[in-house]
Amino acid sequence: MARASMVALPVFAAVLYGGVIPREPLVRRVSPQSIQVGAFYNGTNVAVEGSVEAGSGVIVTVTGSENEAVFNKKVRFGPIWINSGKVRISSTPSVFLRFSSTPIACLLPPGMIAKYRLDEASLIWDMRIAPRSHDGRAEAAWCRSYLSMKKGDGSYAFASAGVRLADTSGGASFVLRFPWPKQAAPGAYTIHVYEIKDAAVIRQAEVLMPVVRTGFPAWLASLAGDHASLYGTSAVVIGALAGFGIDFLATLLFGKKRSVSH
C-alpha cells in the first residue's frame, strides 16, 4: 500500500496541474524593483535572475518608450556648413540595451532576430524620418548617426555577452548584472527575457522597471509642470543661494577675500 501511494503522488500532481508539472519561473527576481532618482542619485546597478531548461540560451533586452528626436539638417555652402531645416527621427525606443548568454547570431536565425527587434538593423528598419528624402543614402546616414549618438551616451548597447548561465539540478539558472544608464529619464521601462532553444524562442517574460523621481527632484518637476512662474522664481533663488553658499565656503576655507587695489 505504501508503494502504491508513492507512485500515485506524482500522478496526482500531474492531474492537479492539467497534466503538466510546473517549471521554475523564467524570471525569479529583478533587483531593485524600481529605481528612485533623488537629489543624490548617481546611478545604480540592476540584477535579473531566473531559470531555464538545460541547454537553453538567454537574451535580455531593456527598452524605453518610443520617442522623437529633432536635429538640425546641415548642408555645405562653400567652405562652411549651414542649417537647412530640421530632421525628425521617430519610432525608436528612448533606451535599448541587449545582453545575451552567447552572441545572438549563434542563438537565433536572422529572421527571428528581426522579428523580436534584437539588433541594430531591425531598429533602423523601424525608424521613421521626416521629412522624407529622395536620397536613400542620406537617410541611411542619418540612421547610423542616430544609433552612434545613442550608443555614445549609453542609451543603446548591443552586447554579445553579459548573461551568465550555471547548471542546476534539472535545468540551469541565469543572472545578468548591468549598470542602469544614468541619462534614462523617469518613466516605465520593460525588461524582456527570452529563453532560446533549438534556434527558437520557447519562453519569454516581461518585467516593468519604473524609474521615478523622489524628494527634491520630484518637487522641482512638479513645480515646473504645475506652476511654471513659481518654478522660474525658485530656480533663481536656488541659484543665488548656491552662489552665496559656495562663496561662504571658499571664504571659510581660504580666509577673507582679498581687496583689489586700483
Side-chain angles (χ1 to χ4, degrees):
M1 180 64 68
R3 182 178 180 181
S5 300
M6 291 175 64
V7 174
L9 183 60
V11 175
F12 174 75
V15 172
L16 180 64
Y17 289 102
V20 178
I21 298 175
R23 292 183 292 178
E24 289 286 333
L26 180 56
V27 179
R28 289 199 309 267
R29 186 178 68 160
V30 174
S31 178
Q33 295 181 346
S34 66
I35 296 175
Q36 313 291 317
V37 180
F40 301 102
Y41 174 76
N42 191 34
T44 189
N45 292 321
V46 175
V48 182
E49 301 175 35
S51 299
V52 295
E53 294 182 3
S56 292
V58 177
I59 299 174
V60 180
T61 63
V62 180
T63 57
S65 58
E66 292 188 350
N67 65 349
E68 180 181 88
V70 181
F71 302 94
N72 290 323
K73 184 178 179 182
K74 295 182 179 292
V75 296
R76 187 158 190 157
F77 185 75
I80 62 173
W81 292 87
I82 61 174
N83 292 335
S84 64
K86 302 288 185 181
V87 173
R88 289 176 170 80
I89 298 180
S90 59
S91 297
T92 60
S94 57
V95 167
F96 184 88
L97 310 176
R98 187 201 70 204
F99 309 92
S100 57
S101 53
T102 58
I104 62 170
C106 300
L107 295 172
L108 291 172
M112 297 294 288
I113 292 173
K115 175 183 176 180
Y116 291 100
R117 296 182 69 188
L118 296 174
D119 64 352
E120 298 182 38
S122 55
L123 291 185
I124 289 177
W125 178 263
D126 289 334
M127 284 185 190
R128 297 294 177 264
I129 297 179
R132 296 301 303 272
S133 170
H134 297 294
D135 186 354
R137 291 177 300 179
E139 289 196 354
W142 273 105
C143 292
R144 290 194 300 269
S145 296
Y146 180 78
L147 280 182
S148 296
M149 180 194 73
K150 298 291 279 185
K151 288 191 290 185
D153 66 18
S155 299
Y156 282 17
F158 302 87
S160 296
V163 179
R164 293 184 297 169
L165 288 168
D167 292 335
T168 61
S169 57
S173 64
F174 72 86
V175 61
L176 165 67
R177 292 185 175 87
F178 65 95
W180 188 261
K182 293 181 181 180
Q183 69 283 353
Y189 296 82
T190 303
I191 298 175
H192 207 132
V193 180
Y194 303 89
E195 180 180 356
I196 316 296
K197 197 168 190 179
D198 298 327
V201 176
I202 63 172
R203 269 201 303 172
Q204 53 183 303
E206 290 184 357
V207 179
L208 292 182
M209 172 60 76
V211 178
V212 296
R213 290 189 180 96
T214 60
F216 186 67
W219 177 78
L220 276 182
S222 175
L223 198 64
D226 300 333
H227 307 283
S229 58
L230 181 59
Y231 170 77
T233 303
S234 300
V236 172
V237 172
I238 292 170
L241 291 175
F244 286 129
I246 292 174
D247 185 64
F248 172 77
L249 184 61
T251 302
L252 187 64
L253 293 175
F254 303 109
K256 295 182 178 181
K257 296 181 181 178
R258 297 179 180 178
S259 59
V260 179
S261 59
H262 296 282

